[in-house]
Amino acid sequence: MPSQLSLVPPPATRRPAPPALVVVAHGSRDPRALSTVRALLDRVRALRPDVPVHLGHIELNAPLLPDTLAALGDTEAVLVPLLLSRGYHVKQDIPEMAAAAEARTHLAAPLGPHPLLVDALQARLTEAGWPTHMDEATRRTSAVVLAAAGSRDPDAKTDTGCTAHLLAARLGVPVIPAYASAATPTVPAAVRTLIARGRHRIALASYFTAPGRFATECAQSAPWIAAAPLGTHPSMAHLLLHRYDETLAARGTQLQLASA
């Protein structure tokens, strides 16, 4: 007869907890920004309940990123910028804060450019009144200004321009990127350029992650419809997780190469 011990199943091996996902937001004095970001993180948690999701800000709002990382101790974390292009924050601020922390951090790419952002931009434009079907005569007089925050970093302008190109291909009309600060053209200048080209039905696509001063000011310059910021659109949650997953996949490849 088998012994009593042989009838006892072996203890189940516990899978290690996945690395934390730390969403790094810029921060804003507009209270709508913080509530929007928190709601977006709730969407991420609903999609992947197994992943610990945390928030850290670069400035202006608590929790600040260094405080979030300090609370994680020496655990592993993937930092995903809730930013739409490369620039000073992605290249300098976030890496410096990560390097000063005890946590074992991996830095993900910013959200843009990516087709999921174009999905969200198109959906926000449709919500604002952009037609889902457009005849050729209307198409020849329509255009979009892609309003972004702006940066002195040329890579940021390249990334925003790439998103504008992707959105133009999706909509079938010209899309000109414009900026609230630190870069040109401004939204009014972009509108004037399009009008000079015979484009009079000009919509504004809000290339901002959440409501705030820049998004509000840009919307006020829209000659026709102005879309809402990207906010909690489902594509934003999926994109945050995509950046998290691709960063972990790259880490796994690096470990395999190091052990080969």
Side-chain angles (χ1 to χ4, degrees):
M1 291 181 62
S3 69
Q4 291 294 322
L5 289 176
S6 66
L7 297 176
V8 178
T13 56
R14 296 183 61 183
R15 294 180 60 183
L21 164 56
V22 178
V23 175
V24 185
H26 181 278
S28 172
R29 292 183 177 87
D30 191 317
R32 296 173 298 169
L34 181 55
S35 61
T36 299
V37 172
R38 285 175 171 164
L40 176 60
L41 265 61
D42 287 341
R43 279 190 176 271
V44 174
R45 294 184 182 103
L47 288 170
R48 295 279 288 276
D50 60 312
V51 175
V53 179
H54 303 273
L55 174 61
H57 292 93
I58 296 169
E59 59 182 2
L60 299 176
N61 290 121
L64 293 171
L65 179 57
D67 297 330
T68 297
L69 294 177
L72 292 174
D74 64 353
T75 59
E76 193 173 12
V78 176
L79 276 55
V80 182
L82 187 61
L83 301 170
L84 300 173
S85 63
R86 292 169 291 174
Y88 187 83
H89 293 313
V90 171
K91 295 179 179 181
Q92 298 291 329
D93 286 336
I94 298 174
E96 288 175 0
M97 294 177 190
E102 186 181 4
R104 292 170 285 123
T105 57
H106 311 279
L107 306 184
L111 299 187
H114 195 277
L116 283 170
L117 289 175
V118 179
D119 292 345
L121 287 166
Q122 184 180 20
R124 293 298 188 226
L125 282 168
T126 301
E127 293 167 0
W130 184 267
T132 54
H133 300 285
M134 189 180 291
D135 61 55
E136 191 56 35
T138 304
R139 189 180 303 279
R140 285 196 297 268
T141 61
S142 300
V144 172
V145 172
L146 181 67
S151 169
R152 293 182 180 86
D153 190 311
D155 286 337
K157 198 165 187 178
T158 297
D159 291 344
T160 305
C162 181
T163 299
H165 178 76
L166 292 172
L167 184 59
R170 179 77 62 86
L171 298 177
V173 301
V175 177
I176 292 184
Y179 304 95
S181 70
T184 56
T186 63
V187 171
V191 169
R192 290 192 295 269
T193 297
L194 288 167
I195 291 175
R197 296 177 185 175
R199 305 280 174 166
H200 302 286
R201 285 168 51 89
I202 302 170
L204 183 133
S206 188
Y207 200 40
F208 299 95
T209 57
R213 179 170 65 89
F214 283 166
T216 300
E217 290 175 354
C218 289
Q220 290 169 348
S221 299
W224 178 35
I225 58 173
L230 300 165
T232 59
H233 189 274
S235 291
M236 295 291 286
H238 286 287
L239 184 51
L240 285 167
L241 287 168
H242 171 71
R243 292 299 190 213
Y244 171 84
D245 290 335
E246 73 176 1
T247 303
L248 290 180
R251 179 206 62 168
T253 300
Q254 292 168 356
L255 290 176
Q256 290 176 358
L257 291 173
S259 61

